[in-house]
Amino acid sequence: GQQVMQIPQYQHVQEGEDFTTYCNSSTTLSNIQWYKQRPGGHPVFLIQLVKSGEVKKQKRLTFQFGEAKKNSSLHITATQTTDVGTYFCAGTQGAQKLVFGQGTRLTINP
Amino acid sequence: DTGVSQDPRHKITKRGQNVTFRCDPISEHNRLYWYRQTLGQGPEFLTYFQNEAQLEKSRLLSDRFSAERPKGSFSTLEIQRTEQGDSAMYLCASSLEGLLQETQYFGPGTRLLVL
């Protein structure tokens, strides 16, 4: 079945450094969604990418969807302590269910 | 609050007991999903409804699990004869059926601990 892999599993940075997490699917995706989950919280929707090669920005966050629609990345510029949490990518392949990656847990040294 | 709500937020039960969780989706959303999340992992799909019809069930959903959405609004997830391996966060999400972009919004989850 469809699998979504996400790396790295953990990332620790100094405040102000950049952060990137990568997502790879075993199959071509219809779209990919990114969620952020704070410790003890639930996944909160960040963005959805649909088109091949799409790039979207939200302030310091940049999201990319690969040309083949099998990979995606999230890049945070100049991290702040409020960025702490686990970032999940989740893909769909026609069906409605989301298949989540394992997440990248971001911790920040202030 | 017009988001997805779940009740209870926490449940501790003894092995062998039955438990039932409730999810109230965003009011105009016709699709409702249940996921399970264990520590350090991403949410795993369990089942989903479109209105009152249960359209897909994961192989993760054993015979002890049953979900309903009788009137196409709130949903319940029941686990019978709970096992310690059922301990997890049970997340509900809802969405509005769309042509191209369909976003799932998650509730706060019900954290289940089976002793």
Side-chain angles (χ1 to χ4, degrees), chain B residues 4 13 21 25 31 39 43 62 64-65 69 71 74-75 83 103-104 111:
Chain B
V4 179
T13 192
F21 310 142
R31 288 183 171 158
L39 203 61
S62 79
R64 298 183 297 104
F65 287 69
R69 194 183 183 199
K71 297 180 180 178
F74 73 91
S75 175
E83 301 173 356
T103 301
Q104 293 185 26
R111 191 174 296 278

Side-chain angles (χ1 to χ4, degrees), chain B residues 10 16 21 36 44 50 52 55 59 61 63 68 85 94 101:
Chain B
H10 303 272
F21 310 142
R36 180 171 65 189
E44 293 178 296
Q50 179 155 314
E52 64 276 5
L55 295 188
R59 284 170 293 181
L61 215 63
D63 292 344
E68 294 183 341
S94 72
Q101 297 200 21

Side-chain angles (χ1 to χ4, degrees), chain A residues 1 9 31 33 35 37 40-45 48 50 54 56 88 92 95-103, chain B residues 9 31 33 35 37 40-45 48 56 89 91 100-109 111:
Chain A
Q9 190 173 359
N31 63 65
Q33 301 180 28
Y35 290 81
Q37 186 171 23
H42 61 278
V44 174
F45 174 78
Q48 180 171 230
V50 178
E54 189 169 15
K56 286 189 177 180
F88 291 99
T92 64
Q96 308 312 316
K97 65 182 181 184
L98 290 172
V99 178
F100 281 80
Q102 306 95 313
Chain B
R9 296 289 305 276
R31 288 183 171 158
Y33 307 79
Y35 292 85
Q37 186 177 26
Q41 300 297 317
E44 293 178 296
F45 170 80
Y48 105 92
E56 187 173 352
M89 171 83 89
L91 292 161
L100 196 59
Q101 297 200 21
E102 185 174 327
T103 301
Q104 293 185 26
Y105 295 94
F106 283 81
R111 191 174 296 278

Side-chain angles (χ1 to χ4, degrees), chain A residues 3-7 22-26 29 70-72 89:
Chain A
Q3 289 187 322
V4 176
M5 307 297 293
Q6 201 172 343
I7 56 169
Y22 300 91
C23 186
N24 287 284
S25 170
S26 57
L29 300 170
K70 295 180 73 172
N71 57 72
S72 181
C89 62

Side-chain angles (χ1 to χ4, degrees), chain A residues 12-73:
Chain A
H12 181 76
V13 300
Q14 288 288 128
E15 187 175 15
E17 291 182 339
D18 293 355
F19 160 77
T20 305
T21 173
Y22 300 91
C23 186
N24 287 284
S25 170
S26 57
T27 56
T28 302
L29 300 170
S30 300
N31 63 65
I32 196 155
Q33 301 180 28
W34 285 90
Y35 290 81
K36 177 182 178 181
Q37 186 171 23
R38 293 182 183 274
H42 61 278
V44 174
F45 174 78
L46 295 176
I47 208 159
Q48 180 171 230
L49 304 171
V50 178
K51 298 176 184 175
S52 169
E54 189 169 15
V55 177
K56 286 189 177 180
K57 292 190 174 185
Q58 287 181 350
K59 298 183 180 179
R60 296 178 294 104
L61 278 60
T62 302
F63 303 84
Q64 283 190 301
F65 201 8
E67 294 290 341
K69 300 185 72 173
K70 295 180 73 172
N71 57 72
S72 181
S73 65

